[in-house]
């Protein structure tokens, strides 16, 4: 993950084993991996967003589903979409709390909540895409070497 963060230009640390060991010790190994994965996800999403501007996407979005291993299985796809919806709904709820956001973002937050509830009821899955359970955590600061911008 660090190599990918470096390639995307968002890793500012040394990237050596001592740095990773220190961060894993400070945060716990699992939490450190979660934070690196989320830093990489954010960087990759921005790259995709910028690359997709003013372009006919054709099957570009399908590539994400193929890479995630969910394109050919409706149950896995539903689990993956539940996870993506959950990631969108949280920030939308936070933004919608600000007085100046207006009704569209409030409606989007409600729609994301509704979509999350609907997709959670069919099929009743816990995202079977991955072989082990994963969780997310709020981060107080980026992992060592990861730029917060």
């Amino acid at each position: 993950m660090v190599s990918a963060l470096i390639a995307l230009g968002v890793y500012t640390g040394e990237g050596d084993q001592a740095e990773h060991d220190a961060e894993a010790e400070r945060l716990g190994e699992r939490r450190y991996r979660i934070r690196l994965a989320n830093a990489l996800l954010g960087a990759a999403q921005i790259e995709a967003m910028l690359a997709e501007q003013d372009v006919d996407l054709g099957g570009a979005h399908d590539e994400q589903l193929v890479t995630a291993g969910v394109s050919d299985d409706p149950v896995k796809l539903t689990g993956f979409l539940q996870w993506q919806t959950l990631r969108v709904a949280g920030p939308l709820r936070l933004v919608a709390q600000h007085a100046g956001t207006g009704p569209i973002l409030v409606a989007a937050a409600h729609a994301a909540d509704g979509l999350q509830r609907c997709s959670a009821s069919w099929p009743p899955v816990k995202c079977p895409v991955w072989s082990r359970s994963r969780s997310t955590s709020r981060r107080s600061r980026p992992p060592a070497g990861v730029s917060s911008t």
Side-chain angles (χ1 to χ4, degrees):
M1 285 187 279
V2 171
S3 296
L5 288 165
I6 291 169
L8 290 169
V10 296
Y11 194 87
T12 58
E14 296 299 317
D16 60 17
Q17 193 60 46
E19 180 181 59
H20 299 301
D21 290 345
E23 280 297 285
E25 176 70 26
R26 182 177 74 83
L27 297 170
E29 189 170 328
R30 184 165 184 237
R31 185 168 291 209
Y32 179 53
R33 280 190 62 77
I34 290 169
R35 291 176 65 177
L36 280 176
N38 278 279
L40 179 56
L41 178 62
Q45 286 176 319
I46 290 296
E47 286 294 319
M49 185 180 77
L50 294 173
E52 292 173 356
Q53 290 179 347
D54 303 320
V55 175
D56 178 20
L57 297 176
H61 289 125
D62 293 339
E63 188 62 38
Q64 176 190 23
L65 304 177
V66 169
T67 302
V70 301
S71 63
D72 295 333
D73 185 329
V75 174
K76 287 182 178 181
L77 178 58
T78 299
F80 186 72
L81 294 174
Q82 281 178 275
W83 173 76
Q84 287 187 319
T85 304
L86 182 63
R87 292 185 70 88
V88 169
L92 273 174
R93 271 188 241 104
L94 291 175
V95 170
Q97 292 176 12
H98 292 93
T101 58
I104 293 176
L105 287 178
V106 172
H110 288 297
D113 283 338
L115 183 58
Q116 179 64 27
R117 287 183 187 147
C118 289
S119 66
S121 65
W122 186 94
V125 295
K126 280 191 174 190
C127 201
V129 177
W130 301 279
S131 60
R132 62 180 186 259
S133 165
R134 298 186 186 257
S135 66
T136 59
S137 65
R138 294 205 175 264
R139 59 183 195 181
S140 55
R141 65 179 191 174
V146 177
S147 170
S148 61
T149 57

